[in-house]
Amino acid sequence: MNNVPNSTVTTRKRLLILIISITFLFCVLFGRLGYLQLVARKDLQSRAAEQWYRDLPLAAPRGKILDSTGSVLADNREVYSVYVRPNAVTDKQAVAAALSGHLNLVYDKLLEKISSSRVSEITIKRAVEKNVAEAILAQNLDGVYFTLDSKRYYPASNYLSQILGFTNIDNVGQNGLEGYYDEYLKGVDGFAYTATDIKGHELENNVTKYVPAIPGCDLTLSLDMNIQSFAETAVSNALSEHNAKGASMIVMDCNTGGVVAMASAPGFDLNEPPRDDLNMLNALSKNKMIVDVYEPGSTFKIFTTATALENGAVSDSDRFFCGGARQVDGQRIKCWRSIGHGSQDLGEGVKNSCNCVFMDLALRLGTDKLYDGIRNFGFGSKTNVDFYGESRGLLMQQSAVKTVDLARIGFGQAVAVTPLQLVTAVSAAVNGGTLYEPYFVSQVNDYSGKLIYERQPKEVRKAISPSTSEKLRNMLEKVVSEGGGHKAGVAGYRIGGKTGTAQKYENGHIAQGKYVSSFVGFAPVENPRYVLAMIVDEPGGYMYYGSLVAAPYAGEVFKKIFDYTGLKPSQTDTVVEWVNMPDVLGLSPEEASKRLSERGLLFESDGEGSSVASCVPVPGTRIPKGDVVLIRTE
Amino acid sequence: MSNNKKVLLHEGKGEYDFVLTSVTVLLVLFGVVMVYAASSYNAQVNYGNKYFYMFKQLVGAVLGFVAMIAMSFIDYHVLGKLRFVILGISVLLLVLVFIPGIGVESYGARRWINLPFFTMQASEIAKFGFIIFSAAYMAKHHKKMTTFKGILPVLGVGSLICLLIILEPNMSITICVVLLMFAMLFIGGARIKHFLILALPAVAMVPLLIIAEPYRLKRMLAFIDPWASPLGEGYQLIQSFYSLGSGGLFGLGLFNSRQKYLFLPFSESDFIFSIIGEELGLIGCAIVMFAFVLIIARAIRIAQNSTDRFGCYLASGIACIIAIQVLVNIAVVTGSIPPTGLPLPFVSAGSSSLIVFCSGIGILQSVSRRSHKTVKLTVRQRRKKRERLPTKP
């Protein structure tokens, strides 16, 4: 039976097995199908939709940037993008010739591009001006197409070039505020969804779906375009008049931390950034006032004084003697005036900017207290301003500070700060002692005008007490009214300030003849509102003193601000006494000093010679009493 | 002795299996509509006539129906007698494919024979040639089927056909013929242990075939993770998934496929089931699959009811080739096995496949008619005999 199976029975059995197996396999495949069509459906469908539709972006208009008065600083302008669809071109030579002529492109390259028609559409040039596009359009060329595009436009062209920053061809913020606030400014692009076949041809029954773009938000800055223009004028004048490497000015509202003006020369036209020269572009667009540090020199004495007063390390009756230098740890550190300042109280020390006084103060305080003091003013840490690339400045490691270093820090050497840190700290020193976080953007509104962010002044900490602040204000006022900051003065107004002249270091060594001249001031003294810093980098020639180079521009800008804001003078009937510049040529420095003092003039001197070789201004010039003059000895 | 049983089983049934014919005709006409749905855009773009593929399929359908009717009238025993002739023609056609001028090369393979009106795929004929030959052999030598020696002629002919097809190359049809060969032997009563012995060289062939054509390994990998190469080897499968996934339960509606816009290659032929899934959803797929199961079941039933072994083996062979091709096609489309190009019987665009499968249905009808006729005739003849015989008083 087993050897000879009943074939009919076997066949029937096997046919049954066959139909059962086949049905089973059908069920398995149906299960697989059910998984794909029901479970994996959503995922597959959304992936499929990606290939079914071509999404043409509808660029969102970028938000505007406005100053505090509502003037537009950055806007959008209509431009055109020029495309060529090679298949639609009838006369390739004519198209290449017309486009190369109007768009300033190389004819041969263009012709080759158009001739190698592997792509359906070639972008020839973007951001083409309207009149150029219209000129091409007028030639009625087949296969040339235009789309409306937008380009960033900066009405004040070369103002604020390092602050506003610029965008790339795709309108993406690259640096400055355009970069920092790109997320707010850029908006949300819309899309036009077109159903196409695999090659991108629109389907017959296509209904293009539009998802509208959401325009970007508008930024309102704390900047005031009028004050900005004063600052811009000052820095460009300083650059040319002193043949300097650079000049910068910051004006801050000391009661909020808002930046009112920030200008730096040389700058560039934001509408035409020098994109061809990347190194130059990087150098020009860098905001040195926030990113770079410099040795502050005498302006830093404000904080030594403030810390000493706050710690009770000095009293009004204390007197300091300056013989032209101090011995610290066996090392002789000179005062800037080699003949010395004699006996002075603290106020006179500040007015004279006598290094010996601040060395004494620093040594009295010791490293810990001085460091605590200057750190309270924000040195050594970022200000958290709304700007990329901020530097925290350089403070020596506290444990590594030797007595010699401590003395130097006292008068502003062996430290490095950013100009913004300095202005922020001076604001705290004179506003009653509150350190505010500096900022540019005061509010953000969405495209409908709805306010979505408003900046409130952000108090970082109390750096010093109000009484210390008041004492400082009075001492610093004397610097302008009677001391080296005289040129920053404006008749009738109470202005305080401090000059600074620091030698530059290159590769760790003093760079001969390279200085940073600065002035930092505030006004009005009785109720400070504006803090201003003017920094001239590497002024040319013998004129390098902050009192002579930087202070005058500060004075000019202060005057313009007072006129612009309509600030009433503190003293209405100020009488200016005038004197003639005495002839000091050929005299010994001591004799010249005596002559100038007799006339009530202050002086800065250059050189270590035994007789006066030249002076500024020339003898006989009518100048106000108390003014600062320059003598050069040989 | 079994005649009595058959008489009982078939009493009151028609000679012709109308269910089988109706389902086949409906499926073929549905195929014509789906070929149009899947190919209209492609045809418009490439031939400037959106009915291009549909017309060809319609012609194929008409020819198929003619062939179906013709085959149903021919006594299938004639096919058995002509088994060597049919086999010879099949092999000859497979050889002709390689002769330049007669064979047409397309997609890197020689699979078609150029005829004045259309191109014919030689392997389509060969599948049925093999079924007829092996059914006839097994019917004649059914007692030898339990021996290994007895199954050797079937194996030999099958291997020869496989060899010629793999040389085209056409992996998918080769696999189908291999599966068909095993199915025929299984029905023919071959022993299970012989299958195991045969399975070993078949498995051993796999690495050899991969070495011969490295693209096969890539396809294997693409099957395991199609998303690894969405624009390369995995593309076709992913596009098929997109079609099926977009269809969901009810589909996007007839003619509303999005994938037909050139996204899914071979949408009118090997991947037409994806388009069915996209336009008619899981429900449409279920109906189509049910139609196939119905056809297969009717064919097996005809095999069971056949009066002779040859008819039984012939009908089950046809059932098997339909089942194998449908299962492999749907498995490929759903990414259940490595992708391979195989048309869906009756539905995919392709005249030769359509005509050959319709002929297969005609053969089934021939078997069906003749088994019925024989039974009924027997009954009638018996009655007549009784009537003619003088009744004993």
Side-chain angles (χ1 to χ4, degrees):
Chain A
M1 191 66 194
N2 278 341
N3 289 342
V4 186
N6 185 328
S7 299
T8 316
V9 174
T10 308
T11 308
R12 289 187 166 278
K13 233 198 264 170
R14 289 199 169 180
L15 282 175
L16 194 67
I17 291 169
L18 201 68
I19 188 73
I20 290 169
S21 315
I22 289 169
T23 313
F24 171 74
L25 288 173
F26 266 96
C27 291
V28 169
L29 288 178
F30 187 71
R32 170 75 180 156
L33 207 55
Y35 165 77
L36 287 171
Q37 298 202 271
L38 304 178
V39 182
R41 176 185 185 181
K42 230 176 167 184
D43 175 50
L44 290 172
Q45 202 171 20
S46 63
R47 283 175 190 247
E50 270 175 45
Q51 67 176 19
W52 292 347
Y53 296 97
R54 293 288 160 106
D55 42 350
L56 282 177
L58 302 172
R62 198 171 169 81
K64 291 177 189 164
I65 303 180
L66 311 162
D67 85 339
S68 58
T69 66
S71 308
V72 177
L73 304 178
D75 203 347
N76 303 309
R77 199 156 44 93
E78 284 186 356
V79 288
Y80 292 82
S81 292
V82 180
Y83 301 94
V84 164
R85 291 186 187 143
N87 291 332
V89 175
T90 45
D91 187 346
K92 289 185 166 62
Q93 276 88 0
V95 167
L99 294 182
S100 65
H102 284 294
L103 302 174
N104 205 13
L105 298 167
V106 180
Y107 172 83
D108 293 335
K109 278 189 185 170
L110 206 56
L111 185 64
E112 199 197 314
K113 246 190 195 176
I114 297 169
S115 303
S116 59
S117 59
R118 277 222 224 123
V119 262
S120 58
E121 196 170 85
I122 312 168
T123 307
I124 300 296
K125 197 170 184 178
R126 298 174 59 183
V128 175
E129 297 299 332
K130 197 178 176 183
N131 58 341
V132 179
E134 278 169 353
I136 300 170
L137 194 64
Q139 280 185 268
N140 221 353
L141 297 159
D142 285 336
V144 181
Y145 300 86
F146 301 87
T147 59
L148 190 62
D149 216 335
S150 79
K151 189 188 176 189
R152 208 59 168 155
Y153 172 61
Y154 303 92
S157 54
N158 54 358
Y159 279 15
L160 287 161
S161 36
Q162 305 85 352
I163 291 91
L164 292 179
F166 48 86
T167 61
N168 65 9
I169 191 94
D170 296 315
N171 284 330
V172 177
Q174 297 289 283
N175 52 11
L177 295 175
E178 291 272 28
Y180 193 89
Y181 284 100
D182 192 53
E183 286 297 319
Y184 282 102
L185 290 164
K186 72 180 180 188
V188 182
D189 283 350
F191 286 97
Y193 290 99
T194 308
T196 68
D197 71 4
I198 197 169
K199 292 171 183 163
H201 295 300
E202 190 178 327
L203 301 188
E204 275 175 27
N205 55 353
N206 170 55
V207 179
T208 303
K209 295 183 191 72
Y210 288 96
V211 178
I214 303 168
C217 299
D218 294 340
L219 304 183
T220 302
L221 307 185
S222 55
L223 280 164
D224 184 314
M225 207 42 192
N226 290 295
I227 299 176
Q228 179 69 28
S229 72
F230 309 152
E232 294 279 0
T233 307
V235 294
S236 63
N237 285 348
L239 192 73
S240 56
E241 287 165 10
H242 290 280
N243 194 23
K245 188 181 170 195
S248 310
M249 180 179 278
I250 302 174
V251 183
M252 182 179 278
D253 183 336
C254 67
N255 298 313
T256 62
V259 176
V260 177
M262 188 180 255
S264 191
F268 60 96
D269 184 353
L270 282 172
N271 295 310
E272 297 292 336
R275 293 187 204 271
D276 302 337
D277 187 342
L278 212 61
N279 287 334
M280 184 161 88
L281 183 63
N282 285 340
L284 286 178
S285 59
K286 182 160 91 169
N287 190 343
K288 296 186 176 118
M289 294 165 280
I290 294 177
V291 176
D292 278 359
V293 298
Y294 79 112
E295 199 184 64
S298 301
T299 51
F300 199 73
K301 290 169 182 170
I302 297 169
F303 311 105
T304 312
T305 311
T307 307
L309 287 169
E310 192 68 13
N311 282 284
V314 62
S315 71
D316 295 343
S317 55
D318 277 0
R319 295 205 66 83
F320 301 84
F321 181 79
C322 169
R326 272 281 184 284
Q327 288 288 133
V328 181
D329 264 5
Q331 198 176 331
R332 192 179 137 88
I333 305 175
K334 285 198 286 184
C335 182
W336 61 270
R337 197 186 198 204
S338 43
I339 58 170
H341 289 100
S343 174
Q344 319 147 78
D345 64 13
L346 179 62
E348 288 165 330
V350 171
K351 190 180 78 180
N352 294 335
S353 194
C354 172
N355 290 355
C356 298
V357 173
F358 300 97
M359 285 190 252
D360 288 357
L361 291 181
L363 295 174
R364 280 189 200 176
L365 283 164
T367 308
D368 292 348
K369 280 184 179 170
L370 182 64
Y371 260 61
D372 285 348
I374 60 180
R375 283 205 175 113
N376 278 338
F377 278 108
F379 294 110
S381 54
K382 293 185 177 182
T383 64
N384 290 328
V385 67
D386 42 357
F387 206 90
Y388 284 132
E390 188 186 9
S391 164
R392 59 177 72 245
L394 296 169
L395 285 186
M396 285 177 71
Q397 210 186 337
Q398 199 164 337
S399 58
V401 174
K402 289 178 273 184
T403 314
V404 182
D405 302 319
L406 183 62
R408 285 186 180 281
I409 293 168
F411 61 90
Q413 287 185 358
V415 289
V417 303
T418 69
L420 185 70
Q421 274 183 325
L422 184 74
V423 174
T424 309
V426 170
S427 295
V430 301
N431 71 4
T434 311
L435 184 71
Y436 288 103
E437 199 177 274
Y439 65 91
F440 288 101
V441 171
S442 55
Q443 68 182 53
V444 179
N445 298 77
D446 74 4
Y447 67 96
S448 65
K450 202 179 109 196
L451 183 71
I452 58 170
Y453 166 79
E454 188 169 25
R455 171 84 187 206
Q456 299 297 332
K458 205 180 278 177
E459 199 179 309
V460 179
R461 69 177 78 84
K462 287 279 176 199
I464 50 170
S465 67
S467 65
T468 307
S469 178
E470 194 184 343
K471 279 182 193 167
L472 272 176
R473 286 201 295 271
N474 292 329
M475 285 180 197
L476 293 171
E477 184 185 8
K478 289 256 166 52
V479 176
V480 175
S481 61
E482 301 169 12
H486 193 268
K487 283 187 183 294
V490 177
Y493 292 91
R494 294 179 64 194
I495 296 172
K498 185 73 196 77
T499 60
T501 309
Q503 284 194 291
K504 285 183 86 172
Y505 286 81
E506 275 171 8
N507 308 323
H509 299 286
I510 289 176
Q512 278 302 325
K514 288 186 177 174
Y515 297 88
V516 178
S517 308
S518 60
F519 175 84
V520 52
F522 62 97
V525 172
E526 61 272 26
N527 181 23
R529 169 98 198 263
Y530 296 108
V531 168
L532 177 155
M534 175 75 194
I535 296 160
V536 182
D537 187 21
E538 292 185 31
Y542 302 113
M543 292 268 275
Y544 53 79
Y545 284 98
S547 52
L548 296 165
V549 175
Y553 297 107
E556 284 170 23
V557 171
F558 270 133
K559 186 173 186 318
K560 288 177 181 171
I561 292 175
F562 298 149
D563 291 346
Y564 164 62
T565 56
L567 189 79
K568 296 261 177 331
S570 311
Q571 304 118 321
T572 40
D573 50 344
T574 43
V575 181
V576 181
E577 268 189 80
W578 296 91
V579 291
N580 284 338
M581 176 73 185
D583 186 0
V584 293
L585 296 176
L587 301 177
S588 69
E590 290 79 11
E591 187 63 24
S593 160
K594 213 177 116 194
R595 290 266 186 101
L596 290 166
S597 302
E598 281 168 5
R599 306 267 177 127
L601 292 171
L602 299 165
F603 70 94
E604 306 277 15
S605 66
D606 179 63
E608 306 278 324
S610 55
S611 70
V612 176
S614 63
C615 64
V616 178
V618 292
T621 312
R622 203 166 99 94
I623 48 174
K625 194 174 175 182
D627 205 355
V628 188
V629 301
L630 175 75
I631 59 170
R632 201 168 66 82
T633 61
E634 272 180 1
Chain B
M1 51 137 205
S2 63
N3 271 356
N4 281 336
K5 219 176 183 179
K6 268 191 185 139
V7 171
L8 289 172
L9 270 171
H10 292 283
E11 204 112 56
K13 293 232 169 184
E15 302 175 340
Y16 203 88
D17 191 336
F18 283 106
V19 175
L20 180 63
T21 306
S22 330
V23 173
T24 306
V25 169
L26 284 176
L27 199 56
V28 169
L29 294 178
F30 170 76
V32 173
V33 174
M34 286 319 295
V35 164
Y36 171 73
S39 71
S40 60
Y41 188 77
N42 179 14
Q44 181 68 47
V45 169
N46 290 318
Y47 300 99
N49 171 15
K50 60 182 177 173
Y51 300 111
F52 180 81
Y53 288 102
M54 195 198 84
F55 280 152
K56 279 181 81 166
Q57 186 72 356
L58 206 53
V59 170
V62 170
L63 292 174
F65 291 152
V66 169
M68 183 163 77
I69 293 163
M71 293 309 284
S72 68
F73 282 108
I74 294 170
D75 186 347
Y76 66 93
H77 293 104
V78 173
L79 298 172
K81 280 171 191 148
L82 293 174
R83 62 186 184 277
F84 289 110
V85 178
I86 292 169
L87 185 64
I89 291 170
S90 299
V91 173
L92 183 71
L93 288 174
L94 285 174
V95 173
L96 280 177
V97 163
F98 296 100
I99 298 169
I102 300 170
V104 180
E105 191 171 339
S106 167
Y107 300 106
R110 296 185 153 273
R111 299 176 183 174
W112 291 270
I113 288 173
N114 214 350
L115 290 179
F117 301 107
F118 67 103
T119 54
M120 187 180 66
Q121 203 163 344
S123 51
E124 296 286 354
I125 306 275
K127 284 187 294 201
F128 282 88
F130 174 71
I131 291 173
I132 291 166
F133 171 80
S134 47
Y137 171 81
M138 293 195 306
K140 200 173 176 191
H141 307 280
H142 67 95
K143 280 183 182 146
K144 284 202 252 165
M145 289 309 287
T146 48
T147 64
F148 193 74
K149 210 176 153 189
I151 64 173
L152 275 179
V154 177
L155 285 175
V157 169
S159 303
L160 175 71
I161 291 172
C162 284
L163 183 72
L164 288 169
I165 297 174
I166 199 76
L167 286 174
E168 289 180 356
N170 192 338
M171 181 72 166
S172 37
I173 302 282
T174 309
I175 288 171
C176 281
V177 174
V178 169
L179 291 173
L180 180 67
M181 190 167 77
F182 282 114
M184 293 296 286
L185 289 173
F186 179 72
I187 297 159
R191 297 199 155 195
I192 303 298
K193 70 172 182 189
H194 293 152
F195 283 110
L196 294 175
I197 295 165
L198 289 172
L200 286 173
V203 170
M205 278 300 277
V206 174
L208 279 175
L209 290 172
I210 288 171
I211 291 163
E213 295 280 355
Y215 77 89
R216 285 175 187 141
L217 182 66
K218 280 191 184 171
R219 282 206 186 168
M220 292 284 284
L221 295 175
F223 153 69
I224 293 159
D225 182 15
W227 307 103
S229 55
L231 296 175
E233 296 297 328
Y235 179 79
Q236 176 98 54
L237 192 50
I238 287 172
Q239 295 302 329
S240 177
F241 285 166
Y242 285 170
S243 280
L244 294 171
S246 312
L249 187 59
F250 298 106
L252 301 175
L254 193 61
F255 306 132
N256 287 346
S257 164
R258 280 294 276 112
Q259 287 291 95
K260 71 177 170 187
Y261 290 99
L262 314 180
F263 292 105
L264 178 66
F266 302 109
S267 59
E268 78 286 350
S269 55
D270 297 346
F271 280 80
I272 199 159
F273 196 71
S274 310
I275 301 290
I276 294 171
E278 189 184 357
E279 296 196 346
L280 305 174
L282 187 61
I283 288 175
C285 289
I287 293 169
V288 172
M289 286 169 86
F290 180 72
F292 279 116
V293 172
L294 200 59
I295 288 174
I296 293 159
R298 296 305 286 198
I300 299 261
R301 201 186 148 110
I302 288 168
Q304 283 175 332
N305 295 337
S306 168
T307 46
D308 57 19
R309 284 187 189 277
F310 176 56
C312 171
Y313 294 154
L314 192 61
S316 22
I318 293 167
C320 284
I321 192 63
I322 295 171
I324 288 166
Q325 268 198 236
V326 172
L327 287 169
V328 169
N329 180 276
I330 296 177
V332 166
V333 163
T334 54
S336 313
I337 60 168
T340 180
L342 197 66
L344 187 64
F346 305 111
V347 181
S348 283
S351 305
S352 34
S353 167
L354 189 54
I355 293 166
V356 166
F357 273 103
C358 281
S359 308
I361 299 297
I363 294 169
L364 285 175
Q365 294 293 6
S366 172
V367 175
S368 175
R369 284 180 63 198
R370 261 148 269 275
S371 64
H372 290 233
K373 199 176 173 183
T374 317
V375 172
K376 288 200 168 177
L377 270 178
T378 316
V379 176
R380 256 182 238 151
Q381 280 163 358
R382 278 182 190 168
R383 274 184 197 153
K384 278 178 187 167
K385 256 184 191 170
R386 271 187 222 131
E387 279 162 15
R388 252 183 264 140
L389 281 173
T391 45
K392 282 184 179 175

